Amino acid sequence: MYTGRDMTELSMMAKSDWQDNELTYFHHSFQQTLPYLNVEGQSIYREIVEEITNRGGLKATEASLLEGPTMVEGDIL
């Protein structure tokens, strides 16, 4: 479960100042709702994707109920 900063706070910051888990969470959220986003939402999603690309992509993670997310081999974006 995501427990980071909300979009209200993050929208006032440069994407380069976002943490990786924030980029990952909001990338997934926007990706799931992409067909319903207005132009502004699509623009924010594009900026998130560009920032992820600038950082070299997302790293694949796995999670278990007992241990939480861990890094695994391979890129996913």
Side-chain angles (χ1 to χ4, degrees), residues 28-51:
H28 179 74
S29 296
F30 277 73
Q31 186 178 48
Q32 295 296 308
T33 59
L34 191 59
Y36 310 104
L37 294 177
N38 63 14
V39 174
E40 183 178 359
Q42 292 174 14
S43 176
I44 294 168
Y45 177 68
R46 189 176 324 105
E47 291 172 1
I48 289 170
V49 170
E50 288 173 4
E51 181 58 31

Side-chain angles (χ1 to χ4, degrees), residues 19-21 23-25 27-28 51-63 69-77:
Q19 296 175 6
D20 289 345
N21 68 324
L23 287 169
T24 301
Y25 176 79
H27 174 267
H28 179 74
E51 181 58 31
I52 290 169
T53 302
N54 291 342
R55 293 185 188 193
L58 297 175
K59 301 298 178 195
T61 59
E62 288 183 344
T70 58
M71 300 303 289
V72 295
E73 193 68 30
D75 294 333
I76 59 173
L77 178 66

